[in-house]
Amino acid sequence: MTTVKFKKFDIEAYQPGKSTVKRLKNIIKLSANESALGVSVRAKKAISNKKLKFFRYPDGKSRELRSQISKKFDCNKEKIICGAGSDEVIQMLCQLFLKPKDEVILPQFSFLMYRIYAKIVGAKVVFAKEKNFKVSVSEIIKKVNSKTKMVFLANPNNPTGTYLTKFELINLRKRLRKNILLVVDDAYAEYMQNKDYKSGLDLFKNKQNVFILRTFSKIYGLSSLRVGWGYGSKKIIDALNIIKPPFNVNEVAQKAAIESLKDKKFITRSVKHNYFYATKLKDFLSNYDISSNKVSANFLLLNFNKCKLRAKSFYEKLKRKGIILRSTEEGYKIKNMLRLTIGSKEENIKFIKATQNIFRK
Ligand SMILES: *Cc1c(COP(=O)(O)O)cnc(C)c1O
């Protein structure tokens, strides 16, 4: 049989945080930055509603969801587009803006989907060095040339957990040419307690050349349902709506997202939980000379350079106990570090006990 020729891509497929260990049940998954408190009670109710009509197509424009988002975040619903995860919005943006040979600037260590979708449409991906695992505005500016079309940036950044301050982010926009689109990915914005931080949405709501990404996969606890949204100028949103798959966000996801937005208590509890345990785990790990970024989002990037164990060895020992962290070597290409998601109270305690056992020997 002949295989019909397909296009070849110079791409490493996305590798999600692992979730299984051979022969072990009851895995503690701290590898994908999911919600520590699970799904909100309100969203759960929406999901189990017996009146959902699965034989009908969902609202392709996610009207009610966009309306609720605009209320909650005080922004214009005509400038919102919903996607099957913010993932899909990144894909649509790349399809809309990038031609072969256009250039996209990404920080050296950044969310893997930016490079994957940019390369699929033939764009050239240019990496800007970071300083001490923090995005550098001046290094980004150094990489700008006449072919530069977009800059992607998660703030706070994944997997490093560092962030640009309000002033650094404003400065970046000022120094970029006006016809370069700055995409600010606010995936972890809700967790941020840092006084010098402002989300992309808060800073750039009315900017024509900034596009904001948000997700329901992290603090809202709906990773599996795939819902995210983008916010940009009316012109960009109208153009995205032309190329959007018609029924991209399913009905259950839309309903659950609407309810999770309304569950203020759940969000407040998640933020408090995260700050408390992130601080506790950071302190605890410093006893073993494992250092990490200042507390920011719902994960810590653990640095083993001063620790008596190598990151890889710690990873394997935890894995044998059924606890999975995120390797930063594959994909992100960061050596001797691991990314730890802040888990539930029980998960964090088990992680602490397992770590104590590993170092006792
Ligand atoms: C987790 C994450 C997302 C969310 O992706 P979804 O497709 O919405 O699940 C987006 N950006 C970054 C930087 C992330 O870490």
Side-chain angles (χ1 to χ4, degrees):
M1 287 288 281
T2 345
T3 304
V4 179
K5 263 198 190 148
F6 46 82
K7 292 193 272 180
K8 290 251 161 71
F9 299 98
D10 172 25
I11 292 172
E12 267 180 59
Y14 183 75
Q15 297 224 14
K18 297 206 173 10
S19 55
T20 54
V21 183
K22 260 186 218 155
R23 287 185 292 276
L24 285 186
K25 280 183 193 160
N26 303 324
I27 293 303
I28 295 181
K29 184 186 177 197
L30 303 174
S31 62
N33 298 346
E34 293 146 331
S35 156
L37 303 183
V39 182
S40 91
V41 176
R42 284 190 72 145
K44 244 183 222 163
K45 257 193 203 152
I47 294 165
S48 50
N49 181 352
K50 302 220 167 47
K51 286 186 194 146
L52 288 168
K53 294 189 178 117
F54 291 119
F55 63 98
R56 298 281 183 214
Y57 284 109
D59 172 11
K61 296 216 164 80
S62 300
R63 286 182 188 84
E64 179 60 19
L65 175 55
R66 281 169 40 236
S67 168
Q68 292 299 330
I69 290 172
S70 80
K71 259 191 212 160
K72 166 121 184 167
F73 297 100
D74 190 24
C75 60
N76 182 350
K77 65 174 183 232
E78 304 303 325
K79 292 166 72 176
I80 298 170
I81 188 162
C82 294
S86 45
D87 209 18
E88 189 185 44
V89 184
I90 299 168
Q91 182 178 31
M92 290 192 276
L93 280 175
C94 288
Q95 288 173 332
L96 184 66
F97 283 96
L98 300 173
K99 299 188 301 296
K101 301 211 170 66
D102 281 345
E103 294 193 4
V104 175
I105 301 176
L106 309 181
Q108 182 178 2
F109 308 117
S110 42
F111 187 50
L112 299 168
M113 295 318 299
Y114 309 148
R115 72 193 70 169
I116 292 175
Y117 287 130
K119 282 184 181 175
I120 290 174
V121 295
K124 182 177 169 195
V125 175
V126 178
F127 291 101
K129 278 202 192 115
E130 298 192 12
K131 290 183 181 156
N132 267 327
F133 296 95
K134 179 179 161 172
V135 171
S136 159
V137 171
S138 58
E139 291 293 332
I140 291 175
I141 300 300
K142 269 191 211 165
K143 296 292 181 187
V144 172
N145 64 30
S146 59
K147 294 185 196 135
T148 308
K149 197 72 198 271
M150 299 170 94
V151 174
F152 279 93
L153 186 80
N155 203 41
N157 193 18
N158 174 13
T160 57
T162 54
Y163 62 94
L164 291 182
T165 64
K166 172 185 170 184
F167 293 104
E168 287 167 329
L169 199 52
I170 291 173
N171 183 35
L172 171 63
R173 182 56 273 176
K174 272 192 191 145
R175 290 173 68 188
L176 283 173
R177 218 172 49 233
K178 286 203 169 63
N179 62 355
I180 294 173
L181 184 71
L182 173 63
V183 180
V184 182
D185 184 341
D186 278 350
Y188 301 96
E190 293 88 350
Y191 289 107
M192 296 297 283
Q193 302 293 296
N194 317 61
K195 292 267 181 316
D196 55 355
Y197 171 85
K198 271 255 186 288
S199 74
L201 189 65
D202 286 336
L203 288 177
F204 300 119
K205 229 172 245 181
N206 297 313
K207 276 269 190 214
Q208 302 283 321
N209 52 11
V210 179
F211 194 91
I212 312 298
L213 296 169
R214 292 263 172 153
T215 182
F216 284 94
S217 298
K218 302 293 155 62
I219 205 162
Y220 296 100
L222 301 178
S223 306
S224 173
L225 290 181
R226 315 303 304 128
V227 211
W229 50 285
Y231 192 85
S233 74
K234 182 78 173 28
K235 261 193 188 163
I236 296 178
I237 296 296
D238 288 348
L240 287 172
N241 271 315
I242 293 171
I243 62 170
K244 183 179 83 61
F247 306 108
N248 58 333
V249 185
N250 72 68
E251 187 191 6
V252 184
Q254 291 184 35
K255 293 247 157 61
I258 289 164
E259 289 307 309
S260 73
L261 276 178
K262 292 178 183 166
D263 202 336
K264 280 190 195 152
K265 273 192 198 145
F266 177 76
I267 303 302
T268 312
R269 210 151 57 77
S270 299
V271 172
K272 279 190 186 150
H273 171 94
N274 186 64
Y275 187 79
F276 178 80
Y277 281 104
T279 308
K280 192 179 167 92
L281 288 167
K282 181 179 166 60
D283 285 351
F284 166 73
L285 289 165
S286 71
N287 294 328
Y288 304 101
D289 299 314
I290 300 168
S291 60
S292 59
N293 56 289
K294 185 162 91 179
V295 169
S296 58
N298 67 337
F299 60 90
L300 294 168
L301 183 67
L302 311 183
N303 183 331
F304 288 75
N305 288 340
K306 296 209 169 115
C307 177
K308 68 177 185 187
L309 277 185
R310 301 278 300 164
K312 203 167 201 156
S313 155
F314 186 62
Y315 176 89
E316 290 299 332
K317 286 176 201 288
L318 280 174
K319 196 171 132 188
R320 266 176 253 143
K321 295 172 188 286
I323 302 177
I324 312 179
L325 271 56
R326 179 73 142 101
S327 157
T328 50
E329 206 154 321
E330 49 192 39
Y332 297 117
K333 307 275 188 290
I334 303 178
K335 288 217 171 93
N336 209 19
M337 298 202 183
L338 295 171
R339 196 190 66 194
L340 166 71
T341 302
I342 310 306
S344 66
K345 179 180 172 187
E346 294 72 27
E347 290 170 333
N348 296 331
I349 290 171
K350 282 186 184 157
F351 169 78
I352 287 174
K353 292 214 167 113
T355 303
Q356 284 167 335
N357 278 326
I358 288 170
F359 281 97
R360 202 168 281 143
K361 281 168 197 155

